[in-house]
Amino acid sequence: MATPRLALTFPGQGVQRPGMGLPWTRRPAWAVVEEVSDAAGRDVAALLLDADTETLRRTDNAQLATFALALVAWTELRREHPLVTLPGACAGHSLGEYTALVAAGVLDPQDAVRLILARGLAMREACERVPGSMAAVLGLDAARAEGLAAALRERGGQVWVANHNSPRQTVLAGRSADVERCARAAERAGAVKVVPLAVGGAFHTPLMAGAAERFAEALATVRFMPGHTPVVANVDARAHRGGPEWAGLLRRQLTAPVRWSDTLRTLTLELACDRLLEIGPGRTLAALAKATVPSVSRDTFADPLTDLAPAA
């Protein structure tokens, strides 16, 4: 029997919740939190254990907390199953791309922390200058959602499809009033539900142009190593090895849509991965995989108390 070809996937902002670090405090990998705290100059344990919903809603807090816990989970999994260190491919949803780059050997964890701090601050400031919101559209064809957003932009609106999560789930982002108008249009067009997201702004749209410009300064200070595993990038859904091109890909990620459904197809078709393992808080990516590539095996490692660490 052929050995499954494993792809590691990592979640992004939006999966954070109060107390999400509690199940991990007695695990050896919890020591990673202190390392992330040292690199960040912040008490990350307090974010993972004590922060309330409003604190975690703030973009910079949400990103640091989510990355830290995903890194803890990945470290714990490597300890139990060393073969996870060399998967067939990696990918991460938005912020999760940074954990994927660490897992692929492209980014040093401390460099990743520094980039996430700079990214979170740049995005938070952009949100304060240009307020916006995001909403998930469920049960509507992605092309139809794109058409509705484009029609509003033709009339002067500022709304875009920011995430292509699955064939029947997209995320709208833009000026709050325009997102609401597009959401109502989506419901009239047959969407099953439109769900506002608990995020601080219109991510992955042109409204983040100022953040991308500022973030470029931080990207220029980091070394992107050759790595050992390909990472499928959000912005083009193509597999990339390590190296300096990642600076441009990560900058573009702030203003370009996350092509997650295409990313899953690249992982499973082009790269021939027949097993997807989601590592980190939440189980969102497993659900999106079920909707997009239902024939591919899926596992999650989100909670050490309830999830058995899947063998590599």
Side-chain angles (χ1 to χ4, degrees), residues 42-271:
R42 294 194 57 187
D43 186 353
V44 176
L47 282 178
L48 295 174
L49 301 175
D50 305 322
D52 59 17
T53 300
E54 192 60 31
T55 300
L56 290 174
R57 179 185 172 90
R58 208 177 80 179
T59 296
D60 50 345
N61 290 336
Q63 294 189 26
L64 184 58
T66 301
F67 170 79
L69 199 58
L71 197 61
V72 168
W74 177 69
T75 302
E76 184 70 17
L77 193 59
R78 283 191 307 156
R79 188 183 68 84
E80 297 191 23
H81 298 289
L83 288 178
V84 171
T85 303
L86 294 172
C90 295
H93 192 285
S94 188
L95 168 73
E97 197 157 75
Y98 292 80
T99 327
L101 289 169
V102 171
V106 177
L107 263 182
D108 176 85
Q110 291 190 336
D111 281 341
V113 171
R114 285 190 283 271
L115 287 180
I116 286 166
L117 289 174
R119 181 182 190 264
L121 179 59
M123 292 171 73
R124 180 184 170 195
E125 291 177 345
C127 293
E128 291 170 352
R129 290 192 302 271
V130 188
S133 62
M134 303 179 77
V137 179
L138 310 179
L140 189 68
D141 180 81
R144 183 69 173 130
E146 284 277 16
L148 294 173
L152 275 173
R153 291 198 303 274
E154 288 176 0
R155 299 197 297 272
Q158 291 185 299
V159 60
W160 297 264
V161 171
N163 295 0
H164 295 264
N165 283 336
S166 78
R168 303 282 288 176
Q169 184 190 127
T170 56
V171 174
L172 302 172
R175 296 276 191 175
S176 296
D178 294 323
V179 170
E180 290 175 11
R181 280 193 283 270
C182 198
R184 290 195 294 270
E187 290 172 338
R188 291 193 296 270
V192 174
K193 185 186 295 186
V194 179
V195 182
L197 301 185
V199 297
F203 307 142
H204 306 294
T205 74
L207 298 186
M208 289 290 111
E213 183 176 348
R214 175 166 180 177
F215 185 46
E217 299 173 8
L219 288 166
T221 69
V222 169
R223 180 186 174 220
F224 292 93
M225 297 175 286
H228 51 68
T229 301
V231 178
V232 181
N234 286 183
V235 298
D236 61 9
R238 294 175 56 190
H240 297 264
R241 290 287 179 175
E245 70 172 325
W246 273 104
L249 292 167
L250 292 174
R251 177 179 178 173
R252 286 169 55 200
Q253 192 214 68
L254 294 186
T255 57
V258 174
R259 294 176 54 185
W260 191 250
S261 54
D262 288 338
T263 292
L264 291 173
R265 295 186 187 100
T266 299
L267 289 171
T268 57
L269 297 176
E270 181 181 324
L271 299 179

